[in-house]
Amino acid sequence: MKPVSARTVLVALLALVVPAPASAQPAEDDADIEADEAVEDDPLVTYAVEIDFVSRYLWRGLAWSEGAQMQPAASVDAFGVSLWAWTNLVLQREAYEGQFNEVDAGLGYTYSWGWLEVSAGLQVWTYPYQDDSPTTGQADVALYVPVGPFTFYTRQTVDIGGYAGAYWGELGAEFAWESDAGPIVEASVLTGWASDMFNDVYLEVDRTAWNTLETAFSVTFPFPWVYVRAHAGCSWLLDADLRAAVDDPFLVVGGIALGTEGPP
């Protein structure tokens, strides 16, 4: 038998270890195709429509209804800009029953910068049929830091309408978990503080205070064309003077929402 040279062995080993250019090309093409598909799958414009039935209207630790309300909302998002509208329909036998006693709208922008997400927005709040509640609005800015399934955030708002200068701030954390085919579970906790003007307007307590601690939990069940979201939450006024100014310093609310979302 003819002996095998060292050069022949080296060439054979290199052929096994180093893939030929022709065999590497399809893998590169597949990666390019997958990247292109990922870009195409990210829609430029999205929308969301939801009708939420709540046991009580809760806002910043305060109850704004005696009983059940219906709260329709809609939004359109494109290029980081969001345009939305929200309304409140009184269902139970109380003032303004069967009427939309609040209609709000807003415009916001969200920008992601590495691990940090920044959003800013303007909102207008109107109160039909309520002469003692003037049209007002607010400007807000928020910072979000995602860490795995958690998102930590802070939001600062200031009134720019009928109660110009009233300030509200909050610090919170959100958790979200989504399975491949099952429900989406979300939970959150936040604490909020307010200026003396804010508390004077909404609670007739003329002092700056650490106002509230709130928690919320929801489970969303997705279907082909619609989703169903069951949610509950509670709120506790932390300051003794604020608790004394309201009938219900500790509130528990719940609701069922029906909605749809996606690209047009």
Side-chain angles (χ1 to χ4, degrees), residues 81-103:
V81 178
S82 176
L83 178 65
W84 59 266
W86 180 95
T87 61
N88 186 79
L89 175 66
V90 181
L91 297 180
Q92 196 152 320
R93 294 182 179 178
E94 57 183 282
Y96 312 109
E97 179 187 0
Q99 296 176 316
F100 288 97
N101 67 339
E102 183 174 347
V103 179

Side-chain angles (χ1 to χ4, degrees), residues 29-54:
D29 293 342
D30 292 343
D32 292 340
I33 293 173
E34 290 177 0
D36 293 339
E37 290 177 350
V39 172
E40 293 176 357
D41 290 341
D42 189 12
L44 296 178
V45 180
T46 61
Y47 72 91
V49 179
E50 181 179 278
I51 299 178
D52 194 6
F53 297 89
V54 297

Side-chain angles (χ1 to χ4, degrees), residues 52-215:
D52 194 6
F53 297 89
V54 297
S55 60
R56 204 169 185 183
Y57 181 2
L58 172 64
W59 179 77
R60 293 179 179 171
L62 305 175
W64 293 97
S65 75
E66 295 296 328
Q69 314 284 294
M70 184 177 76
Q71 298 176 335
S75 66
V76 177
D77 296 78
F79 306 103
V81 178
S82 176
L83 178 65
W84 59 266
W86 180 95
T87 61
N88 186 79
L89 175 66
V90 181
L91 297 180
Q92 196 152 320
R93 294 182 179 178
E94 57 183 282
Y96 312 109
E97 179 187 0
Q99 296 176 316
F100 288 97
N101 67 339
E102 183 174 347
V103 179
D104 305 337
L107 180 67
Y109 177 73
T110 301
Y111 178 76
S112 295
W113 185 26
W115 51 268
L116 182 67
E117 187 174 280
V118 181
S119 70
L122 297 173
Q123 306 172 15
V124 177
W125 305 338
T126 64
Y127 306 94
Y129 322 112
Q130 303 176 68
D131 296 334
D132 57 344
S133 298
T135 296
T136 187
Q138 72 174 25
D140 66 76
V141 61
L143 303 177
Y144 301 87
V145 179
V147 181
F150 296 92
T151 299
F152 301 92
Y153 75 92
T154 182
R155 179 180 292 111
Q156 317 299 316
T157 68
V158 62
D159 197 292
I160 56 174
Y163 309 115
Y167 163 81
W168 171 269
E170 63 186 50
L171 181 68
E174 301 172 340
F175 168 83
W177 177 81
E178 180 178 358
S179 63
D180 293 336
I184 302 167
V185 178
E186 297 174 290
S188 65
V189 59
L190 71 86
T191 184
W193 57 95
S195 66
D196 52 352
M197 184 176 182
F198 180 97
N199 287 329
D200 187 31
V201 168
Y202 295 106
L203 290 151
E204 297 184 352
V205 177
D206 189 11
R207 61 187 296 268
T208 299
W210 205 286
N211 284 39
T212 183
L213 177 66
E214 301 181 20
T215 62

